Amino acid sequence: MPALRLQHLAPKILQPTDLELAAGELVFLSGPSGTGKSLLLRAIADLDPHDGEVWLDGVACSSMPPPEWRRRVCLLPAESHWWGARVRDHFPSPLRPEPLLDRLGFGTEVLDWSVSRLSTGER
């Protein structure tokens, strides 16, 4: 029996997702910004409305009160500490951020973006 099972889990705008993980198994989510990685994780933790079901050790999320589920399934967001208003404020001179931005799939226009515009993953 899988330790974690997603059955047609569909937060907001995402297509339904099915997944089974055994205890101790690791999965990494990756993809472009805005594709719904954080939305999926928030739905697993029952922090956002969603369709479908999540099971943990054979127990359905819908079978217990939300505070109990959230004691068992937690989401620890990766929040960085941004101190400047714009992305460029976080690259000290004479560092040239262009090669790094290119490797991450961004153009130099991102340097002028407001930090508040960035998704969790972009931060």
Side-chain angles (χ1 to χ4, degrees):
M1 173 180 286
L4 180 70
R5 180 165 57 109
L6 312 182
Q7 183 177 15
H8 307 302
L9 187 65
K12 290 186 182 178
I13 60 171
L14 300 182
Q15 295 294 317
T17 300
D18 295 312
L19 176 70
E20 292 186 2
L21 296 174
E25 189 174 2
L26 298 175
V27 171
F28 297 90
L29 294 177
S30 67
S33 176
T35 57
K37 299 175 298 291
S38 296
L39 290 176
L40 180 63
L41 294 173
R42 290 183 59 80
I44 293 170
D46 197 34
L47 297 174
D48 289 337
H50 61 274
D51 294 326
E53 186 64 89
V54 181
W55 302 76
L56 181 65
D57 294 328
V59 178
C61 172
S62 62
S63 72
M64 65 179 69
E68 178 63 25
W69 181 261
R70 292 176 191 137
R71 277 192 285 277
R72 297 172 186 226
V73 178
C74 300
L75 174 64
L76 180 61
E79 289 295 325
S80 57
H81 299 286
W82 292 79
W83 57 90
R86 302 247 169 236
V87 172
R88 105 170 32 260
D89 299 336
H90 303 275
F91 291 96
S93 292
L95 179 67
R96 305 262 320 149
E98 292 81 0
L100 175 61
L101 293 174
D102 186 55
R103 287 180 56 198
L104 294 172
F106 291 107
T108 55
E109 70 278 0
V110 75
L111 293 171
D112 293 317
W113 289 1
S114 168
V115 169
S116 63
R117 172 185 173 174
L118 302 175
S119 72
T120 300
E122 289 170 336
R123 287 181 195 174

